[in-house]
Each structure stands twice: as structure tokens, then as C-alpha cells.
Amino acid sequence: MAKLSANSIGTRLIAGFLLVAFLALGTGVFGYFQIRRVSGIMAQELTERSEARYISTKLRIEALEVHALVNSYVSAASKEIGIRSATRFADKTYILNEFIRQMESHFHGYPLPAGREQAIWSEIVPLSYAYLEQARTVMRIFGQQGLDGAQTQASLNRFEEIRGKLLENLIEFEGEETGLLYASQQRARDSIAQALVMTLGLSALVLVGGAILGLLISRGITRPVDHLVAVAQRITAGDLEGVAKGGGPCEMGVLAKAFNAMTARLRDLVGSLERNVAELLRAKSEQESLVAELEARNAELARFTYTVSHDLKSPLITIKGFMGYLAKDARSGNLEGLEEDIASISNAADKMQALLKDLLELSRIGRLMNPLEEVAFGELACEAVELVKGRLLEREVDLDIAPDLPTVFGDRARLREVVQNLVDNAVKFLGDQPKPRIEIGMRRDGDETVFFVRDNGMGIAPAYQQKVFGLFEKLDPASDGSGMGLAIVKRIVEVHGGRIWAESEGPGKGAAFCFTLPGNRGIATEERKP
Amino acid sequence: MKEKPFEILLVEDNPDHAKLVLRSFKENQLACTIHHVTDGEMALDYLHQRGAYAESANCPRPHVVLLDLRIPKVDGLEVLRVIKTSEELRRIPVVILTTSEAEADLGRAYDGYANSYLVKPVDFESFIHLMHNLGFYWLTYNRQA
């Protein structure tokens, strides 16, 4: 994937390796040349010293030989030996002379160390010539005057004197030279050791440099890796906003890019997953509320079926029972209580009819709704009261409708039914109240408008305040009606999106039936649209 | 047992049904007194001899209770529960006498330790027959604790 570009890990490693190798090679070369240079200088110096000593030694030997030849010539036992010595002397002096000349030219410009050595050397050359000259003089004078000549002895003495001085100087020179040679050797050893130390030091430097370079290269590689690991850990911990920076070698850049793409994909996936989950949860809660509603409906239906079967069966038993007795009485001619039995039968039949009518009514609510409209609640209350006027007059009820009732939004006929049923119910349970009074009004509870129908009749014990809205619930078995009135009222209010409840401080303290109609809010506005 | 009159507490909200029960018992000429109450609250007041029934002379302890399930104020099953959880009352046999044939009611009644569960027959002959047997059984055969 990653090309071998200038910034890649491979290039870095190779470059690092090459640099270290080059430095090591450089160090080696440096060491080699250093030692070679030092040893070269030392070798020259040593050679020169050795040469100087050699020359000095040779000069000394030649000088001694010349001296020996002079002595042998002077003290020769025979003329033959003397002639041979003289011949050899001539050769020798010639050689010595040549040697001195050579030596002189050799040492011309010779970089003699300053000081004592030079002083000695500068004496040696003239002394050598003087010695040679004196040797010739001795030979010449001896040849003219013999051993016993006056000048012979003096020249011999002079020769001896020069010889002693020359030898003394040469020995001293050789001693100096030997000392210098030893010093040179010592210096050469020191220089080589120094060069070695330098080379070793440089090698150590290269080693340390290589290690640092390696560290830097590995840091350059591991830092982006560490960064990537840290980002990966953040992402693992759930922070999907982590972004890997693409620093360092180009492979890391490629990796970071791939990593970021992966993270982005993960973010997308998680996002869509979250959206899906939210969607699912919403659908689930919707489903749950639907199920709950269905269950509530089912429970209501079950209760309904149950009560219907019970309440329809009840009058049937009555009818069949009294018919049986009626037939029996007819056979025995017993006419006593006949009318009462027939009334029971008739009542039961009426009850069944009323029950069937109410059932039909109840089943229609929610299914058959008139178009929703603006309804002035005060007007509606008056209409409802008009429908139960007969009963109100019968009980001499003091009815009061609040003057400033608002306008609501709903099914006019159904809402009228609500008020009518509630007033009817109130009249039914006025009890023995001598000054019966029913009030239709409203109050505000927070931002809710609560309508109520209040009476000063029998009241309802707290335990039964919820029960009264149940289907076929009758607190007083003697009261007429199917026990469905309040169930119907509750259903209508609920279809309008409202709530209904009973309020009473207890038996004998009157009761109020309160309900809300969300009006322009809630379902009403939605249902207006076809 | 014979010396004491047989007392029955009839808990029935439907006056016509009560009338039918009373009449059939009367025609069976069974030596018993039937005390009729019309809702659960009254039944409990009777049994506990309180409220309107504070005078114990008017409300002798019944030998058997005929209990309808759907009655106002306090439900029949609740009355049954009170009887069967009371140290004092739980030996009184409770016969459920109802129109309900629902399995749920049957189960709940027996779960509440009802002693018997009878469904009011719609048919007249069956009704008479049931009442006859009912009275005969509890008065003649059944031994009281």
C-alpha cells in the first residue's frame, strides 16, 4: 500500500543505517590516516636520528682507523710496513675526506634540534677537517724529520689533542642522538596511542550518535503509533469524535487516514443505529400505547359483555319466574297478587328495553359523532335543563346556571346529553333534601377549565366516587335507570379528550360531577378535518 | 338443631329475584327464616351486627348465606372475603347465587372459599326445583359446625 517515498518507515530506517555506517567508516578512515600520518612523521624522525648516529659512529671509526694508521706508520718496524701504512693512509684519508664531505652535504639543511646538539655538531665538522689536516701534517713532518724530529712530536701531540677532542664530541653527539632517539620513540608511541584514543573516542561518539539517531527514528515511528493507540482507546471508550492526526512517516499518514475513515464509518453506523433504535423505541412505545389502549378496550368489552349478559339475564329470570307463578296461580284459581306479579314482569321487560336502548347508545358514542362545532356552553346547559324540566319542577329544584360560561368545541348533541344526564342524575339522588339546589358552572384549575354540575343531595362516599362511572354500577338498587347514564357521560367526555370525576365530601354533603373539555386544543381540532 | 329456627341471610339487590326466592322457599314449607338485605354493605352490617342491625335480636347469626355477586356498594366477592377471613364468621356456609356463568367468577368465588356456586336458572321449573333442593339440602342434610 505505502510507496517507498522519502518519508516512509523503510526510507527512514535505511537512511539511519547508512548514516551510522558512513560515520563508522569515516571514523575508521580517520583513525587509519591519523595513525599513518603520525607513524610517517615518526619514522622520518627515527630514520634521521639513526642516520645521524650511524654517521657519527662511522666517522668515529674512520677517525680511529686513521689514527691507527698514523700510529702504525710512525712506529713501523720496517720500511715495507711503513710504505704499506702510508699507502693505506692515503686511501683512508681520501675516504675520510669524502665521507666528511658527504656528511657535510648530507647534514646541510638537516633539521637539527636546537641547543646543545647543534652546538656539538657545528664543532664536529671543522674538528674533522682539522683532524684530517693534522693527520696529513703528522705524516708529512714524520716523513721529513722522522720520529725524533722536533716538529714531529709537537704535531703528534697536536694530532692526539684534536683526536681526543673529536672523539669526545662524537661520543657526546651520539649520546645526545641516542637520547633524542629514545625521546622520539616515546613520542611516536604516545602519538599512536593518542591517535588510537581519538579513533576510539570517535567510534564511541558514532556509537552514541547512532543510538540517539535510532532512538529518534523509533520515536518518529512510535509517536504516531502511540497517538493512534490513544485515539483508538478513546474510541473504544465510546468517544467517537476522536480523530487521528497523520503526522510522522507516510505509512502512519495512510494508516491514520484509513483509521479516520473507519471511525467516520463507525460514527455513521452508530448514528444510524441510534436513529434506528430511537425509531424502534418510538414504534415500540407507540405499539405499547396501542396495545395498552387495545387491552383497555378489550377489558372494557369483556366487562361489557359480562355485565350485559348478567343484566339482560336478570330480567329474563324475573319474567320467567313470575310467569311460572302466574301460570301456577291461574291453574289453582288464586288471583291474589296477580297484578303485582304482572307489574314485576312488565317492569322487567321495560328494564330490558331500556338496557337495550342504552347499550345501543353507548355503542354509538365514538362511532357516530356529529360534526364538531363551536358551542356556547351556557346555551347548551339551558337546552339540557329544558329537557329535564319536568323532574326539576316535580322536586322544586332551585337551578342555577353560571352566567359567563365559555364557548367550547365539540359535538353539540353529545355535550347536551352530558349535561342532561348529570342534571338527571343529580335530581335522582337529591335524597330528602328540603331545599334542593343544582348548580351548573365552571372554575379554573391552573390552565384547565373545569365544568361542574353540583347538587346538595345525598352525596357519594369516597369509596364509590370512582365506581359510579362503571357500566351498570348502581349504588342504590332501588333507583331507576339502567346504571349506564354516568358510563355514557364518561364515554362522551373521553371521546372529546376530557376527563370526568366526582367530588363529594361524603354521604349527605352533596356531590359535584366535574369534567374538562380541552376545547380548541387536543383531538377536536384534528377531527374537524375530514 | 330443630329447636332453633333455621336462619338464612339472602343478599340480593334485585327485588323481583328476592321475591321469587322468598316465594319458592315459602311454598316448600321449610322451617326457616330468611333475612333479606339488598347490598354488600348491609350484608356486612348484618353479619357484624352493627349500623342498622345493632340490635342482635333482629339479626341472628345465619346458618347459611345466599350471596349474589353483583351487588351495590360492596361487591359480593368482597363480602365473601370478609366472611371467610373473619375468625368469627368463616364457618358460616356461603352459597353463591348469581346469574353469572362466567368462569372467572366461578374461580374467584371458590378461591374465596365459597361453599357452593349456583347459577340462577332462567327456566321457571328449574328455578323452583333448584330452590327446593337448595333448602332441603342445607336444612335437612347439611351438618353445621
Side-chain angles (χ1 to χ4, degrees):
Chain A
M1 282 268 283
K3 279 172 241 150
L4 192 71
S5 78
N7 198 18
S8 72
I9 295 174
T11 314
R12 282 176 180 219
L13 286 176
I14 290 167
F17 173 76
L18 283 178
L19 186 58
V20 171
F22 180 75
L23 283 174
L25 191 68
T27 307
V29 169
F30 168 81
Y32 169 74
F33 280 109
Q34 186 71 11
I35 288 168
R36 209 181 124 156
R37 187 180 63 81
V38 168
S39 60
I41 291 168
M42 291 307 145
Q44 195 188 348
E45 204 173 310
L46 285 175
T47 310
E48 280 168 358
R49 292 278 164 249
S50 304
E51 230 167 46
R53 215 168 60 154
Y54 166 72
I55 287 168
S56 169
T57 310
K58 178 137 185 180
L59 187 63
R60 191 155 49 91
I61 292 166
E62 293 295 340
L64 282 174
E65 209 163 327
V66 167
H67 179 256
L69 282 174
V70 169
N71 275 343
S72 106
Y73 179 65
V74 169
S75 57
S78 66
K79 202 165 173 143
E80 267 170 57
I81 297 168
I83 291 166
R84 213 166 48 230
S85 293
T87 312
R88 275 193 62 198
F89 174 76
D91 289 348
K92 217 65 195 167
T93 50
Y94 178 75
I95 291 169
L96 185 60
N97 194 46
E98 279 303 297
F99 186 73
I100 295 168
R101 244 177 4 93
Q102 270 178 20
M103 185 183 73
E104 205 178 4
S105 75
H106 182 85
F107 283 110
H108 183 73
Y110 177 77
L112 281 170
R116 172 114 186 92
E117 190 197 9
Q118 188 149 27
I120 296 165
W121 185 252
S122 57
E123 274 178 30
I124 285 174
V125 176
L127 265 175
S128 304
Y129 280 122
Y131 176 68
L132 201 58
E133 193 52 47
Q134 193 59 37
R136 283 202 188 102
T137 307
V138 168
M139 293 293 278
R140 190 167 36 90
I141 291 173
F142 184 75
Q144 291 167 353
Q145 302 179 1
L147 191 61
D148 299 324
Q151 283 177 314
T152 307
Q153 207 56 50
S155 67
L156 263 177
N157 286 348
R158 173 89 183 122
F159 180 63
E160 282 300 322
E161 189 190 329
I162 293 172
R163 184 194 67 106
K165 213 175 222 174
L166 179 64
L167 287 180
E168 199 179 299
N169 270 335
L170 280 172
I171 286 165
E172 197 177 345
F173 180 75
E174 274 165 41
E176 271 312 304
E177 282 300 311
T178 306
L180 283 173
L181 184 67
Y182 287 153
S184 268
Q185 278 174 340
Q186 188 57 46
R187 218 165 40 247
R189 272 199 297 276
D190 288 353
S191 289
I192 286 169
Q194 200 184 352
L196 271 174
V197 166
M198 272 174 78
T199 308
L200 278 175
L202 211 59
S203 300
L205 220 63
V206 167
L207 203 68
V208 171
I212 289 171
L213 190 70
L215 205 68
L216 284 177
I217 289 174
S218 79
R219 273 276 298 280
I221 294 166
T222 55
R223 218 186 17 232
V225 170
D226 288 346
H227 168 70
L228 202 62
V229 167
V231 172
Q233 277 166 350
R234 265 177 64 197
I235 287 164
T236 309
D239 175 14
L240 291 181
E241 296 307 315
V243 174
K245 288 193 283 287
C250 63
E251 286 97 337
M252 293 313 298
V254 171
L255 186 57
K257 211 176 275 174
F259 184 83
N260 285 340
M262 186 189 79
T263 314
R265 178 97 184 94
L266 201 64
R267 251 199 314 270
D268 283 354
L269 279 175
V270 168
S272 79
L273 208 64
E274 275 169 359
R275 278 195 298 281
N276 282 346
V277 167
E279 182 78 11
L280 273 176
L281 282 177
R282 204 181 51 74
K284 189 164 173 268
S285 86
E286 221 164 67
Q287 196 187 3
E288 272 168 2
S289 73
L290 272 176
V291 165
E293 197 184 315
L294 264 179
E295 274 170 358
R297 293 269 154 146
N298 258 341
E300 198 183 300
L301 194 68
R303 213 162 46 239
F304 183 77
T305 320
Y306 169 74
T307 44
V308 163
S309 69
H310 178 275
D311 283 49
L312 279 176
K313 203 170 155 191
S314 225
L316 264 180
I317 291 168
T318 306
I319 291 167
K320 288 281 256 182
F322 282 97
M323 291 284 274
Y325 277 122
L326 218 53
K328 213 171 160 190
D329 287 346
R331 276 197 295 279
S332 64
N334 177 14
L335 298 181
E336 199 186 327
L338 203 68
E339 277 182 39
E340 206 183 312
D341 290 353
I342 289 170
S344 284
I345 291 168
S346 179
N347 275 341
D350 287 349
K351 200 171 269 181
M352 281 186 86
Q353 195 193 2
L355 196 65
L356 287 171
K357 184 180 143 287
D358 282 352
L359 279 176
L360 196 63
E361 171 81 30
L362 191 67
S363 75
R364 274 176 174 166
I365 302 168
R367 255 191 325 115
L368 285 180
M369 287 281 283
N370 298 309
L372 303 181
E373 55 185 310
E374 302 271 342
V375 182
F377 198 82
E379 208 175 286
L380 188 102
C382 291
E383 286 173 23
V385 167
E386 197 62 32
L387 291 169
V388 287
K389 207 176 177 183
R391 290 167 189 263
L392 291 169
L393 286 172
E394 196 181 309
R395 275 297 266 121
E396 295 176 348
V397 176
D398 174 15
L399 189 104
D400 180 50
I401 300 174
D404 52 350
L405 291 173
T407 298
V408 296
F409 194 74
D411 179 339
R412 187 184 189 90
R414 297 288 177 198
L415 290 179
R416 187 172 52 217
E417 209 173 332
V418 168
V419 180
Q420 184 192 337
N421 266 320
L422 288 177
V423 173
D424 202 28
N425 193 65
V427 174
K428 217 183 278 178
F429 299 105
L430 279 170
D432 49 7
Q433 175 61 248
K435 283 184 180 167
R437 185 186 149 79
I438 294 174
E439 189 189 344
I440 302 172
M442 63 150 273
R443 65 168 193 255
R444 294 204 62 87
D445 267 7
D447 58 349
E448 225 175 19
T449 303
V450 177
F451 297 94
F452 58 82
V453 175
R454 187 185 293 147
D455 63 63
N456 58 353
M458 288 159 65
I460 312 162
Y464 308 126
Q465 283 174 10
Q466 197 52 46
K467 228 179 161 187
V468 291
F469 297 104
L471 209 52
F472 307 110
E473 283 295 349
K474 284 161 72 179
L475 297 186
D476 178 9
S479 70
D480 54 355
S482 60
M484 292 181 66
L486 289 178
I488 289 168
V489 165
K490 183 172 187 246
R491 194 79 192 271
I492 294 171
V493 169
E494 281 172 356
V495 163
H496 279 81
R499 295 176 293 118
I500 187 164
W501 65 96
E503 287 174 359
S504 173
E505 288 178 9
K509 296 192 173 159
F513 284 87
C514 307
F515 58 96
T516 62
L517 294 168
N520 290 329
R521 292 174 288 134
I523 59 137
T525 39
E526 282 168 27
E527 286 192 8
R528 182 146 49 156
K529 295 168 200 152
Chain B
M1 197 161 127
K2 289 280 176 196
E3 58 266 28
K4 271 204 270 179
F6 197 84
E7 311 284 351
I8 297 173
L9 177 64
L10 173 65
V11 188
E12 173 60 81
D13 66 323
N14 188 321
D16 293 328
H17 287 196
K19 220 189 264 180
L20 287 173
V21 172
L22 288 167
R23 191 160 166 182
S24 57
F25 264 83
K26 203 170 125 195
E27 292 198 353
N28 282 338
Q29 293 179 330
L30 289 166
C32 66
T33 317
I34 298 179
H35 303 271
H36 176 211
V37 294
T38 53
D39 64 44
E41 213 169 75
M42 281 170 80
L44 291 177
D45 282 352
Y46 180 99
L47 288 165
H48 287 117
Q49 299 181 338
R50 66 190 180 196
Y53 301 94
E55 286 287 323
S56 59
N58 300 335
C59 48
R61 170 68 44 90
H63 294 92
V64 64
V65 177
L66 299 181
L67 180 63
D68 194 0
L69 286 182
R70 283 187 54 81
I71 48 177
K73 293 185 181 173
V74 180
D75 190 51
L77 286 169
E78 178 59 19
V79 174
L80 176 67
R81 195 191 64 79
V82 171
I83 293 172
K84 290 304 180 187
T85 52
S86 157
E87 288 277 346
E88 211 181 329
L89 303 173
R90 66 162 159 239
R91 287 188 172 178
I92 302 172
V94 176
V95 177
I96 305 295
L97 186 62
T98 178
T99 50
S100 171
E101 290 176 85
E103 292 286 332
D105 279 340
L106 201 78
R108 279 196 290 261
Y110 280 119
D111 285 346
Y113 306 109
N115 299 75
S116 181
Y117 191 100
L118 303 173
V119 178
K120 296 173 192 167
V122 174
D123 183 66
F124 176 67
E125 290 302 329
S126 308
F127 189 90
I128 296 295
H129 203 63
L130 173 69
M131 287 303 140
H132 178 79
N133 286 339
L134 172 68
F136 212 69
Y137 176 84
W138 288 104
L139 263 72
T140 318
Y141 295 124
N142 191 55
R143 286 284 179 91
Q144 295 280 310

